[in-house]
Amino acid sequence: MLPLALKKIFLYISPINYFFGEYNAGLQYMLNSDWVFDVNAAYIYEYEGSPADQFYTDVLNIDKILYQGPSLRVGAISLYPSGINPLRTDYNELELLYRYLWYTEVDFIDDPDSGKVFNISENMHVAGLSWIAGYEFVKSNNFKLDCYLGFGIQMRFSDITVNSYGYDFDSDMYVLNDHNNATRLVPMLNAGVHIGVFTGKSIAKE
């Protein structure tokens, strides 16, 4: 096979994530013909009435807590010809995730019959580790489109403040300012597409 000159830097977005309020942009840097360094920065803003909020409410029939905050993903990508590995993937990635998310002064109903309401704020640190497999659908010297699927785990560290509580949505009746900490281990699904352009210097790939 003749060597194919690929540019070393791939600038991309994951557009499906925008639907869920994660506004991201990423960069992949080809270290050589076998390994790629990947970094993706995002800001999560899942505002009330957004398409994602409506999806969870109308389709899944659940109330989604609307967090916001920055997110960073860093990964190492191993490139494989699709014919030499059992899953016939074009690449596999090991990815680390960090997020800092929060919401402020949200009312939660403890018991609909009693009308008791807690006004709560929360700050949450998230650390995650994922394995991701990808398939390239369109690739040229200047453009690439691929899809990916992966699984992982994430640890959530939450600092929860109960600002006040009351009855009949009069949440200023009693001021608590009570702090609680919570830790949860949660499975994680990664799925979507990368779309973007190549730039920078070129590297020969067999």
Side-chain angles (χ1 to χ4, degrees):
M1 181 183 294
L2 294 176
L4 175 64
L6 294 177
K7 294 179 179 177
K8 295 186 73 170
I9 298 175
F10 176 57
L11 303 175
Y12 70 90
I13 62 172
S14 297
I16 295 177
N17 292 11
Y18 282 66
F19 175 84
F20 295 98
E22 182 176 308
Y23 304 97
N24 69 88
L27 180 149
Q28 293 180 0
Y29 182 80
M30 293 188 67
L31 301 173
N32 51 48
S33 62
D34 297 318
W35 290 96
V36 177
F37 174 72
D38 182 22
V39 59
N40 184 284
Y43 192 86
I44 297 171
Y45 180 52
E46 303 170 317
Y47 61 91
E48 188 174 1
S50 67
D53 183 32
Q54 292 296 320
F55 173 80
Y56 280 95
T57 302
D58 299 338
V59 179
L60 302 180
N61 195 30
I62 60 175
D63 292 327
K64 187 172 180 4
I65 300 176
L66 303 178
Y67 289 94
Q68 63 177 304
S71 173
L72 181 67
R73 300 173 184 265
V74 178
I77 297 175
S78 178
L79 304 176
Y80 286 100
S82 60
I84 67 170
N85 64 94
L87 298 178
R88 302 186 64 82
T89 58
D90 293 304
Y91 66 84
N92 290 279
E93 179 173 7
L94 188 65
E95 181 183 81
L96 297 174
L97 165 71
Y98 174 75
R99 288 173 174 162
Y100 176 62
L101 304 175
W102 67 84
Y103 61 83
T104 57
E105 299 183 355
V106 176
D107 285 331
F108 294 88
I109 301 176
D110 183 44
D111 185 348
D113 294 330
S114 70
K116 189 174 182 179
V117 176
F118 289 87
N119 184 270
I120 296 175
S121 300
E122 179 181 354
N123 295 321
M124 180 169 64
H125 297 271
V126 181
L129 175 65
S130 296
W131 168 79
I132 296 170
Y135 298 86
E136 296 173 345
F137 286 106
V138 180
K139 186 174 184 179
S140 68
N141 191 41
N142 298 311
F143 176 81
K144 185 172 77 166
L145 169 66
D146 69 50
C147 73
Y148 59 88
L149 177 67
F151 304 92
I153 56 173
Q154 57 180 313
M155 186 69 76
R156 298 177 178 178
F157 305 91
S158 297
D159 179 27
I160 302 167
T161 302
V162 180
N163 305 307
S164 60
Y165 72 87
Y167 293 88
D168 298 325
F169 292 93
D170 182 12
S171 59
D172 293 326
M173 186 180 298
Y174 302 101
V175 178
L176 295 181
N177 291 322
D178 185 26
H179 288 271
N180 296 287
N181 295 310
T183 303
R184 293 181 60 198
L185 185 65
V186 182
M188 186 165 46
L189 172 67
N190 298 285
V193 300
H194 296 133
I195 183 170
V197 296
F198 288 98
T199 185
K201 296 180 180 180
S202 297
I203 184 172
K205 179 175 174 59
E206 297 295 335

